[in-house]
Amino acid sequence: MRSHLGGALRRADVGAKVTLGGWVHRSRDLGGLVFLTLRDREGVLQVSFNPDWTAPEVITAAAAVGVESVVLIEGTVHERPADQYNPEMATGEVEVRATAIRVVGPAVTPAIPVAVGRDAKPPAEELRLRHRVLDLRRPELQFALILRHRLMQATRSYLSGLGYLELETPILTKPTPEGARDFLVPSRVHAGEFYALPQSPQIYKQLFMCCGFDRYFQLARCFRDEDLRADRQLEFTQIDIEASFIGREDIITMAEGLIRALWAEAGIAVETPFARMSYADAMERYGCDRPDLRYDLAIADLSATFAGSESGIIQSALAAGGRVRGIVIPGGGAWSRKQVDELEAIAKSAGAGGLVRLKSAGGQVEGPLAKFLSPEAQAALGLSDGDLLLAVAGADRISSPALDRVRQECAVRLGLVDPAVRRFLWVLDFPMFDQDPETGALAAVHHPFTSPNADDMAAHPGAPERWRALAYDCVLNGMELGGGSIRTSDPAVQSRMFGLLGIAETSEQERRFGFLLEGLRAGAPPHGGIAFGFDRIAMLLAGATSLRDVIAFPKTTAARALFEGAPSVVPVQDLEELHIRTVTGA
RNA sequence: GGGGGCGUAGCUCAGUUUGGUUAGAGCACUCGACUGUCACUCGAGAGGUCGCGGGUUCGAGCCCCGUCGCUCCCGCCA
């Protein structure tokens, strides 16, 4: 039906007789002379209807077509006169002189505009989602989804090239303990029983290793029934990878190559290897496990300096085993009382009791606590003129998240966040467990299948909260791109892990994880892997600010699909067949 | 579950401060004019449950209460 994609025509195509199919992007009727802008996935192209080469009834038909209608056009590619080039169009040096037009898909007047002006705001997101077919016609979204496709192909090409096999895992599966709420699917055949949608293919990919498939990957759909965010959807795609007979360094090298290949697909050169930092250092210096290294503003331990102060707040924090930690902000001394109050509010919302503030001006240290500090202590702070010191006294569990947020906000205020800079980072040696400060209960930081560090187990056999894990996260500019670990391949160790996590009963372990334990007992190779958040990577590389712009049919933050209207009520008979009765008011 | 922002014509918005005549603009749409436009231009026209419900008032787009939707964030979620 078509001979060319109109948006791809260039000066080299001049002279070609073409048949084009596409959408009417804009139309300009000059009276006896009509221009249509035709749009397809390659771009937009001007088609001219002129009595010199177009029959009168064709011109009449062209003048009558509404925008967003689908047309088939016949004509010839001509170079435009040099003074009529349109530098804003990739096809701007040519036009197609039409001899025929057929409206094959007339369109009603669009509810939201597709051809938006240069400075025009796009319609409200609700309308964009409600009229998604129109929204997805916009060149930016076409670009984003086409880039997404290319990133998928680059992933496949890179990993296949390394011998990885793309293997599929079930969507209807068994509830697993990733920590998030599962989506459940009722079984019609087995009354009262449910499948779960996978939060990730974690166990299946480990089983593949036990099967001997050796190198696995999948562009895996994952499902988590939690509240949404700009960067979080109910269903999302992961680049899921697992390999056998490898160690941490093998995974890191492979993953750096993958990142390089993906960024190259978007035209960005990435240097490897990436920087590395231990979890402990990241928490100590930046207060978080995925620091943005585009700026420093590192946290320092000031406990020794403040030890001699007579401030009650400080003394009680230190007495309780806490520390005083703070950030020196060059130039922050010029900030107003109100601006610093705002920073304190941020620290408080993160759980801190308040912010200790000291600034250096004219060689003097000023601030509410300055009088408690000896001249020696004041000098030890190392403040230069104009510096502001913001500190939090208390347990690290409190001060780290508070200083993390303060640090990020200060960086924004100081203009230190350069979007053109990319600082990739591996965070290594995560702790194996997170301990609830009240109950003492352990929870897996990564997941229960991660292998603990064998040296730590040997050194502190009775203190699992001190064990590190063979886990690693890949971080870019403060964002987690992906993470993984070397897994436990010894079924006895795995069983012990379940025990530490509160699943002590053998029968309970077998009921929930028997299929994994059976795989491990059948002879498991040492293995490990990693998973990257594919949507988030696509969002970054497309220059989008919301995941919804790189997902064709996303959900709103209220977990609704506005275009198709999901979720929706279903007939009672359907529920009965599934052995389900709804509760009133639902 | 909690907090913030937004909701006025098909779309983007003004009008809400301090309640007061018939709620406006640009774009889109309809009709007309126009032979090289490219966000075509020009003229005319049509288009409104001011998200929804209730209240206060002589009178509500504007004030009060409730509710719904979208969005950002916290909780939650790697």
Side-chain angles (χ1 to χ4, degrees), chain A residues 285-304:
Chain A
R285 289 179 61 80
Y286 304 107
C288 82
D289 61 2
R290 46 182 167 82
D292 189 338
L293 294 186
R294 285 175 295 180
Y295 45 89
D296 194 35
L297 298 179
I299 299 168
D301 183 351
L302 307 167
S303 304

Side-chain angles (χ1 to χ4, degrees), chain A residues 404-443:
Chain A
D404 169 33
R405 292 201 195 169
V406 168
R407 174 177 174 266
Q408 291 188 46
E409 175 61 23
C410 290
V412 170
R413 291 187 182 188
L414 294 170
L416 300 175
V417 187
D418 184 345
V421 173
R422 274 170 285 272
R423 296 292 301 270
F424 289 92
L425 170 72
W426 287 105
V427 177
L428 307 171
D429 299 323
F430 277 75
M432 183 68 212
F433 299 107
D434 204 15
Q435 190 165 32
D436 188 301
E438 267 105 56
T439 65
L442 298 177

Side-chain angles (χ1 to χ4, degrees), chain A residues 81-136:
Chain A
D83 61 334
Q84 286 186 17
Y85 282 5
N86 185 340
E88 290 178 21
M89 296 166 77
T91 59
E93 296 182 353
V94 299
E95 67 176 9
V96 164
R97 298 185 173 179
T99 53
I101 184 169
R102 215 172 104 214
V103 181
V104 292
V108 296
T109 301
I112 58 172
V114 175
V116 294
R118 276 185 292 274
D119 307 318
K121 266 183 81 176
E125 185 136 22
E126 179 178 0
L127 295 163
R128 291 180 46 203
L129 293 173
R130 208 175 285 287
H131 308 288
R132 194 62 166 170
V133 167
L134 292 170
D135 195 39
L136 287 177

